[in-house]
Amino acid sequence: MKATIKDIAKKTNLSVATVSRILNNKTGYFSEKSATKVHKAAEELGYQKNTTAVELVTQTSKVVAVIISSTKTNFADQIIDGIQEVAFENNLNVIFLYAGENDEEIQYKSLVTAIERSVMGIIMVAVELNGSNLDYLQQSRIPYILLSTAHGPKGSAFITTDNYQLGYRATEFLIERGHRKISLVGNDLSDTGTERLRGYKDALKNNHISFNPGLALMGDFSYEDGITAAKKLFQPKLRVTGLIGGSDMVAIGIINQAKELGFSVPEDVSVMSLDGTNITNIYRPIITSAIQPFKEIGKRGMQQLLNTDERPHQSQLLTFNINEGESTRRI
Amino acid sequence: MKATIKDIAKKTNLSVATVSRILNNKTGYFSEKSATKVHKAAEELGYQKNTTAVELVTQTSKVVAVIISSTKTNFADQIIDGIQEVAFENNLNVIFLYAGENDEEIQYKSLVTAIERSVMGIIMVAVELNGSNLDYLQQSRIPYILLSTAHGPKGSAFITTDNYQLGYRATEFLIERGHRKISLVGNDLSDTGTERLRGYKDALKNNHISFNPGLALMGDFSYEDGITAAKKLFQPKLRVTGLIGGSDMVAIGIINQAKELGFSVPEDVSVMSLDGTNITNIYRPIITSAIQPFKEIGKRGMQQLLNTDERPHQSQLLTFNINEGESTRRI
DNA sequence: CTGAAAGCGCTTACAG
DNA sequence: CTGAAAGCGCTTACAG
């Protein structure tokens, strides 16, 4: 059996109340002499505080649960880093739960795990909550925030990169370098993808380029989306000069398939991406990319959760920079 | 305030005992009529079970804590998948804690979080525990297991790929293809790295190639290790024909730096790696790699934790296959 | 089928 | 400075 404060009380001939006060260092409520005895006994018994009991009696928790959509989303690493950094500064514990790839059942199970433990807050990373899960989350009354996803309705707060600008400025970037046949590839049909598409269209329009629906290929940000798009757009002949991948993986898919078909990047075709994780620096050619501030998204998410009491959650759209690599060129 | 079973009891004019039995579906201990009333009241009150209280009173936990060394280790994703799969089958909850990159303080904090919650088991992924943290973990009496790391001493159980064979067979693979000047790059000084080095040396010896200490460059499995090694071994002229990177990142570092110096892979030099994560298929050239069974490591780790009672933990060394990509050739 | 009671490990007014 | 007591939300023998 694990030792409890009762065991310490018995061993030191003190009450559990006094032991508790000493262990929690409630200065002024105990004598040095008792303190020494208690600490010695605790040490000898190998005492471990039972946080579960503490949380029950104090009705508080110092735990934030982070629910992540999947382990396949490599940008989540940076968001996690940001969350951890702020949590560490504020002496909070963070537990992570993986909710699979849009799997409603696993998503629900991870919500249950977090909610039934009465965590102090929940951060959802890149999770598209379906209706009933969102209801469940809201009903719990636990403060929450959505990162790297943009749910307009239902009044949930979210923090993400400005997806409209992502679409707009990437398109503009290629236009400024002489491209006019530009494809947008691998974005999904959620707010994230549709905002990017809107930005793409507006950038074309403002530069007097007519929108060609055949060049906006939606998907789910996957490597395969890039492969598919390249097959479609590069055969029987190159129908575009520039492509924007909805993620780094999409861009790499495009480039690999371009090579497969005998085209060079950026000599024959320019390719850029919209995430800018570390892989863009490690791949060759180095990939031109809009670098999303993922770590900052994580930090702000955690900070905002801590300020719950002061004001209602507010959504934030963050800005970004475009890093010019070796996968694009002026034509 | 959140609703409790006491609220339900009041509303239904039943005792908390009966309410508890109904909510836990202890068949035979309640009438259909009461059950209906209770479920209705629970629904109306938005009742949420308080798992913290349940764990306290039943003195059990259905939570396994997984402590991961860092978000930079990309193979951890597959291990996580394996762990989740088995946990899901067994109706267990898994919480993940990130412990930084060999940071003793964060490592300790994550251990505290897990231990003070009396989780039913702890899985350490790619974590090198220092002495006092290991003591702390063992003292807690919570079952634990180490994945993808090999601590010989202190009787901890671990599951990992056979690192000796990894070193041996990768070296042999290159020797069979005519290479005799072979370098091993980027492995660390822990059991993992030293076992690989031992396998490398034995493979050389068994093939009558003398060991050259200048070709065994240790490191910490990083991209930079690959860059550094290539600078050292490729200038002023190529001093090796084949290299084995201790991780996919090390191999990519070598290849990128080779390109930088004007060498082609595999025409001028062959490079292979010892992880085999997805990036080896996405990079070009496709990287020849010993594919570690990471997902299997995760599954077995979780399974073994579940069998704690039956027999003491046992260490396992798993086998692997080598996938021939485009980054190596016969010479 | 149901309830009263004890208890999980801890904290904290209240009283001295 | 210390202790007795109540209570956090729940479960479960025990008794009926």
Side-chain angles (χ1 to χ4, degrees), chain A residues 145-158:
Chain A
I145 188 161
L146 308 171
L147 302 189
S148 199
T149 179
H151 268 286
K154 300 261 197 178
S156 304
F158 55 84

Side-chain angles (χ1 to χ4, degrees), chain A residues 229-250:
Chain A
K231 284 182 180 166
K232 206 175 280 182
L233 298 171
F234 295 179
Q235 294 168 322
K237 62 180 183 67
L238 275 181
R239 287 163 48 209
V240 293
T241 65
L243 298 94
I244 302 165
S247 73
D248 297 335
M249 283 299 149
V250 174

Side-chain angles (χ1 to χ4, degrees), chain A residues 51 55 98 116-117 256 282, chain B residues 55 98 116-117 256 282:
Chain A
T51 303
E55 287 185 357
Y98 287 96
E116 288 192 347
R117 279 171 191 283
N256 282 352
I282 276 174
Chain B
E55 288 185 357
Y98 286 97
E116 289 191 348
R117 275 166 197 286
N256 282 352
I282 275 173

Side-chain angles (χ1 to χ4, degrees), chain A residues 1-2 48-53 55-56 59 63 71-72 77 80-81 84 88 91-98 105-106 109 113 115-118 136 223 249 252 256 259 279 281-284, chain B residues 1-2 48-53 55-56 59 63 71-72 77 80-81 84 88 91-98 105-106 109 113 115-118 136 223 249 252 256 259 279 281-284:
Chain A
M1 276 331 291
K2 287 177 72 172
Q48 279 299 142
K49 163 184 276 198
N50 183 328
T51 303
T52 300
E55 287 185 357
L56 181 59
Q59 299 280 72
V63 175
T71 57
K72 271 120 211 149
D77 291 350
I80 291 173
D81 275 352
Q84 291 264 86
F88 195 79
N91 203 27
L92 259 31
N93 293 134
V94 189
I95 65 179
F96 295 87
L97 306 169
Y98 287 96
E105 189 190 352
I106 306 188
K109 278 196 73 163
T113 303
I115 291 172
E116 288 192 347
R117 279 171 191 283
S118 309
Y136 178 56
Y223 178 77
M249 283 299 149
I252 291 176
N256 282 352
K259 288 180 184 168
I279 200 170
N281 294 315
I282 276 174
Y283 188 84
R284 292 293 177 272
Chain B
M1 275 333 290
K2 287 177 72 171
Q48 280 299 142
K49 162 183 276 196
N50 183 328
T51 302
T52 301
E55 288 185 357
L56 180 58
Q59 299 280 74
V63 176
T71 56
K72 270 120 211 149
D77 291 350
I80 291 173
D81 276 352
Q84 292 263 86
F88 195 78
N91 202 26
L92 259 31
N93 293 134
V94 189
I95 64 178
F96 295 88
L97 305 169
Y98 286 97
E105 190 189 352
I106 305 189
K109 279 196 73 164
T113 302
I115 291 172
E116 289 191 348
R117 275 166 197 286
S118 310
Y136 177 56
Y223 179 78
M249 282 299 149
I252 293 176
N256 282 352
K259 289 179 183 169
I279 200 169
N281 294 314
I282 275 173
Y283 189 84
R284 291 296 177 269

